[in-house]
Amino acid sequence: MNSPLIQLLVLAGIAIFLIIKLRSVLGTREGFEKPPVRADQAAVQKRADFEVIEGGPDRDIVDYVPESSPTAKALAEMKKQDPEFTVGDFIGGARGAYEMILMAFEKGDISDVRPFLSADVDEALSSVIAERNAQGLTIDAEFLGVSEVAIQHAEYDPTTKEAEITMRMTGEFTYTVRNAEGEIVEGGDKTPKRQRDIWTFARRMTENDPNWTLVATDE
């Protein structure tokens, strides 16, 4: 056997030995694998996976009002008194109530929304509707949507458990006002009208009824 062949066999044996040794240490790789992670990345990933932050801000509150504000503190007290209460659900309900009550008023019939009105608000709306009817005016309105809905202020009385949340809402709708003869006296051009309202809803947080009552309106 010549010398080059012997050298080749020796080198092949060494290569086989190294391959076997490496496989025993590193194992084999099959299919998709994640890219290697540097030591500093691994440390960050470990903290992200296992670190638990307790006592952080309540996102259900701070997503809508400034943290540590009087309004945020009032909302937190409401949630302590009624664990089923959430700010997000309330805002969604207020948006729906705004459309429902506003359109009932525009159409001149608030009988369906009366359970959600305080006595004072009921009387004020009914008075305006009665005056319109006396003048022979009718309104044809179409609600287009709410372009703004935000909490302006909230208060909570720990003694009476009474809660009040004041909302700032802007609705857009078209309307046509006709007189007794059917003539258009206002609106009618289908141009959207934008109306901003400040409405205050109230509820006793200890009551089983989750519905809020509209207790004040302002523009």
Side-chain angles (χ1 to χ4, degrees):
M1 188 175 295
N2 56 33
S3 179
L5 181 58
I6 294 175
Q7 292 179 356
L8 182 59
L9 292 174
V10 171
L11 291 175
I14 294 174
I16 294 173
F17 173 80
L18 291 176
I19 292 173
I20 295 174
K21 190 66 175 177
L22 287 172
R23 293 185 67 175
S24 66
V25 175
L26 301 178
T28 58
R29 297 187 175 186
E30 297 179 358
F32 172 79
E33 292 189 28
K34 296 180 180 179
V37 180
R38 300 197 312 267
D40 55 344
Q41 290 178 327
V44 173
Q45 182 177 347
K46 183 177 180 180
R47 288 196 299 270
D49 290 343
F50 294 99
E51 185 176 6
V52 177
I53 302 176
E54 296 182 356
D58 185 345
R59 303 307 309 181
D60 182 52
I61 293 177
V62 300
D63 282 350
Y64 302 103
V65 299
E67 185 178 1
S68 301
S69 64
T71 292
K73 294 177 181 179
L75 294 173
E77 291 300 318
M78 296 177 200
K79 297 185 71 169
K80 287 181 181 179
Q81 185 62 49
D82 181 4
E84 298 297 323
F85 167 71
T86 65
V87 179
D89 286 344
F90 170 82
I91 291 177
R95 178 193 292 267
Y98 179 66
E99 175 182 354
M100 183 172 60
I101 295 172
L102 184 62
M103 296 312 294
F105 170 69
E106 293 289 350
K107 294 178 180 179
D109 183 4
I110 61 173
S111 57
D112 289 340
V113 300
R114 187 161 277 127
F116 307 105
L117 308 177
S118 69
D120 289 342
V121 172
D122 187 341
E123 181 179 356
L125 298 184
S126 297
S127 176
V128 174
I129 292 173
E131 184 177 349
R132 288 200 316 235
N133 292 339
Q135 296 176 6
L137 300 176
T138 58
I139 298 178
D140 180 21
E142 179 183 0
F143 193 83
L144 301 179
V146 179
S147 59
E148 177 191 26
V149 54
I151 295 178
Q152 180 162 297
H153 183 63
E155 294 182 355
Y156 179 72
D157 188 335
T159 302
T160 63
K161 313 300 182 185
E162 287 281 352
E164 286 192 357
I165 302 178
T166 300
M167 301 293 299
R168 184 176 66 255
M169 295 178 285
T170 301
E172 295 185 359
F173 54 95
T174 60
Y175 71 101
T176 302
V177 182
R178 300 178 185 274
N179 59 20
E181 289 73 32
E183 300 170 334
I184 297 177
V185 295
E186 187 177 351
D189 57 359
K190 298 300 180 181
T191 300
K193 173 187 176 182
R194 178 173 294 180
Q195 176 174 313
R196 172 174 287 185
D197 293 287
I198 306 297
W199 285 13
T200 300
F201 297 87
R203 177 193 167 209
R204 189 183 298 275
M205 301 304 292
T206 54
E207 294 181 352
N208 293 328
D209 186 359
N211 291 319
W212 292 70
T213 301
L214 178 62
V215 297
T217 62
D218 195 5
E219 296 184 2

